[in-house]
Amino acid sequence: MAPISIKSVLISESVDPRCRAILEENGIRVTEKQNMKKDELIAEIKDYDGLVVRSATKVTADIINAADNLKIIGRAGTGVDNVDVDAATKKGIIVMNTPSGNTISAAELTCALLMSLSRNVPQAAMSMKQGNWDRKKFMGAELFGKVLGIVGLGRIGKEVASRMQSFGMRTIGYDPITPPEVSASWGVEQMSLEQLWPQCDYITVHTPLMPSTVGLLNDETFAKCKKGVKVVNCARGGIIDEAALVRALESGQCGGAGLDVFVEEPPKERSLINHPNVISCPHLGASTKEAQARCGEDIALQIVDMVQGKKLVGAVSSTQWDCMKSSTGYMTSSVLVGLLNHESGFCPNLINVLSLAKESGIKTHCVSDGNAGDVCKVELTANSCSYKASGSVQGGVPVLLQLGDSVFRQPVSLAGNLLFFKASASPQLLSSVAGLLAAEGVEIESFSAPADRAGDLWYCVGVSSLLRDLSALKPSVKEAAQLSI
């Protein structure tokens, strides 16, 4: 990818010192200002090219829209729930996280909660501190031979599976993205959620928080589970419906819950936290020295790699980067940047251009034809009209091969001042256009005609300068356009 200029970065939270050190070693000016209020961040952010946050800073649309120079928002951790990704995408700002920085720490905490639920460790420890010796009260159960359902088989889900298999647990799971044969290679049998719920003795969730995962475990799904099922959430608050969980705990349908995350943090509603069968933590999934060091270092290295044009890791800006993973997706974005670049009110780049085009009612379809000398074919639809073109690169120079139904005899070199016009073929056409151009003081430097001679077709003329007024061509042509490259 092309290098992106990042000269100054604001770090708004406590991030491992390696983050600042790596950025400064690579010539990036770093400012650290923690615990800023929203208005303070809005006033501060306009001076920076980059912003690094953890989870406490809420990067809202107001903050993003106040950032005149911002090119990147880096989250030193997994997920970007605290960043308005849509607002960032519209402004062409890259949003990235560190997808693997806290994987081990989050997986280990999940396993700790699973073990604590099975043996009532926190409750027993608290009872001991109160001077009690309640051996019968804290009767537990072995993990050996039990079924663990893992909803979300990404990095963390995989690490949880491998560790809990060591306890002799059978691991089953669900994930709409990870292929079943992949999860099977690390010992997890995939199945639908409807098949999974009734089999589990324990369930742990490791999905992002999105509309399709909000309330994934609710009254209806709890009713499908084994009576006494135990659940763990070290992912995001809201994946388990908290009110439904309270009801399931009260009825005994849920036998216990280990929670590291909540819908509201810190939670004001205490019914879950105060329940005797709930083990809760204050969002400690990434709170290890190792995870913080890894996340701080990773986000800095990702920013440096982007600045140096090496690679892009952890980018999550809307769907733009998913589209651009393929060469055709990159071409689509590039074509649209060129198309919208001169439109009033637009500041397109490869991040925001698909959203801008959608808002403008423009649709594109790009195809790379590897069998035709790497020809790029583009079809564009706007205002109920369709346009198509094809081009390539020859000798390092971009050339136009076809415009509409007109296939040029000689490729049109996309350089200099170009005049395109549509007209019917005739022996007098070139001389007529040349005369009109000469009257305007414009010289012809090159001429490209279509191979076909039937109907209204496009022609291209390389000219010494652009016409002041295209209407001068009206006597001889039906449509005309010009550009300078």
Side-chain angles (χ1 to χ4, degrees):
M1 61 171 286
I4 295 175
S5 176
I6 303 290
K7 296 180 180 178
S8 60
V9 167
L10 172 65
I11 300 177
S12 67
E13 296 183 53
S14 176
V15 178
D16 189 86
R18 279 289 292 151
C19 179
R20 177 172 191 154
I22 290 169
L23 293 173
E24 290 182 336
E25 286 167 7
N26 286 274
I28 298 172
R29 188 174 68 257
V30 178
T31 301
E32 294 188 73
K33 289 191 177 182
Q34 298 178 23
N35 304 316
M36 281 186 289
K37 295 178 180 177
K38 181 179 177 180
D39 290 343
E40 293 173 328
L41 184 53
I42 286 174
E44 183 77 21
I45 195 63
K46 64 181 185 297
D47 298 325
Y48 297 92
D49 301 313
L51 172 65
V52 173
V53 302
R54 286 179 59 194
S55 57
T57 304
K58 308 304 177 188
V59 190
T60 63
D62 291 341
I63 293 169
I64 289 167
N65 291 331
D68 298 329
N69 301 318
L70 201 62
K71 301 179 184 70
I72 182 165
I73 299 168
R75 157 91 157 91
T78 302
V80 286
D81 299 357
N82 54 318
V83 179
D84 190 328
V85 177
D86 289 338
T89 298
K90 280 189 175 181
K91 277 204 87 172
I93 298 168
I94 295 172
V95 180
M96 63 167 58
N97 64 359
T98 53
S100 60
N102 58 13
T103 296
I104 298 301
S105 293
E108 288 184 353
L109 181 62
T110 300
C111 296
L113 288 176
L114 287 166
M115 288 183 278
S116 295
L117 282 173
S118 73
R119 299 303 295 268
N120 303 302
V121 174
Q123 297 95 324
M126 186 59 67
S127 176
M128 288 285 288
K129 289 181 184 295
Q130 293 169 352
N132 300 318
W133 186 264
D134 296 322
R135 294 184 69 194
K136 292 183 179 180
K137 183 178 179 180
F138 300 114
M139 178 67 67
E142 291 183 349
L143 293 171
F144 182 82
K146 302 300 191 299
V147 177
L148 173 63
I150 305 172
V151 181
L153 297 169
R155 293 179 178 87
I156 297 172
K158 176 185 177 182
E159 295 298 335
V160 169
S162 67
R163 283 156 178 76
M164 299 319 294
Q165 286 161 11
S166 300
F167 283 82
M169 297 192 85
R170 176 186 168 220
T171 50
I172 62 176
Y174 168 79
D175 193 295
I177 298 173
T178 302
E181 58 272 19
V182 172
S183 59
S185 70
W186 23 274
V188 178
E189 178 189 354
Q190 272 204 57
M191 58 189 66
S192 70
L193 289 174
E194 293 301 307
Q195 294 171 307
L196 180 141
W197 301 130
Q199 297 188 50
C200 299
D201 299 295
Y202 296 80
I203 296 171
T204 179
V205 295
H206 299 285
T207 72
L209 184 66
M210 58 182 69
S212 61
T213 63
V214 171
L216 194 62
L217 272 162
N218 52 40
D219 289 313
E220 184 181 348
T221 48
F222 271 121
K224 296 174 181 177
C225 294
K226 283 184 180 180
K227 188 173 181 62
V229 66
K230 294 179 173 65
V231 298
V232 171
N233 185 3
C234 288
R236 287 291 183 268
I239 297 171
I240 299 177
D241 184 317
E242 292 181 351
L245 177 55
V246 171
R247 289 189 287 270
L249 287 163
E250 291 296 329
S251 70
Q253 182 63 20
C254 177
L259 305 175
D260 185 47
V261 290
F262 302 86
V263 172
E264 181 184 38
E265 295 184 355
K268 294 186 178 70
E269 167 55 48
R270 307 288 295 182
S271 55
L272 262 180
I273 294 166
N274 294 337
H275 196 284
N277 292 338
V278 171
I279 301 167
S280 57
C281 300
H283 203 147
L284 300 179
S287 294
T288 64
K289 294 177 181 178
E290 294 86 353
Q292 290 310 303
R294 202 178 294 121
C295 287
E297 185 171 329
D298 284 355
I299 197 66
L301 291 172
Q302 287 169 207
I303 292 172
V304 169
D305 281 347
M306 188 185 71
V307 169
Q308 296 177 352
K310 291 181 179 178
K311 57 185 175 180
L312 190 66
V313 176
V316 295
S317 296
S318 191
T319 58
Q320 314 298 320
W321 292 106
D322 288 335
C323 173
M324 288 170 57
K325 284 175 184 176
S326 67
S327 60
T328 53
Y330 188 87
M331 284 191 295
T332 299
S333 297
S334 299
V335 167
L336 287 169
V337 168
L339 183 70
L340 296 176
N341 198 38
H342 302 291
E343 293 293 316
S344 176
F346 288 108
C347 296
N349 61 27
L350 294 176
I351 303 300
N352 65 7
V353 73
L354 295 181
S355 297
L356 293 176
K358 186 176 181 180
E359 291 174 3
S360 304
I362 296 172
K363 298 178 181 178
T364 58
H365 177 63
C366 295
V367 177
S368 179
D369 190 346
N371 296 321
D374 291 324
V375 173
C376 171
K377 299 179 180 179
V378 179
E379 187 170 354
L380 181 146
T381 303
N383 300 323
S384 301
C385 296
S386 182
Y387 307 87
K388 62 182 179 180
S390 66
S392 186
V393 177
Q394 297 180 359
V397 177
V399 295
L400 182 67
L401 305 175
Q402 178 179 354
L403 181 61
D405 295 324
S406 304
V407 178
F408 295 102
R409 286 199 193 102
Q410 296 294 328
V412 176
S413 177
L414 295 175
N417 300 312
L418 300 175
L419 170 65
F420 292 90
F421 62 85
K422 180 182 274 190
S424 298
S426 74
Q428 295 80 31
L429 177 61
L430 181 56
S431 58
S432 175
V433 170
L436 293 170
L437 291 174
E440 297 293 320
V442 176
E443 299 177 9
I444 292 179
E445 296 179 345
S446 63
F447 179 69
S448 298
D452 198 350
R453 305 286 291 173
D456 294 332
L457 298 168
W458 284 101
Y459 297 77
C460 181
V461 179
V463 291
S464 58
S465 60
L466 298 180
L467 281 169
R468 290 188 297 273
D469 186 1
L470 287 174
S471 63
L473 297 173
K474 276 186 177 179
S476 299
V477 307
K478 296 185 178 180
E479 292 183 55
Q482 60 183 351
L483 70 155
S484 181
I485 302 175

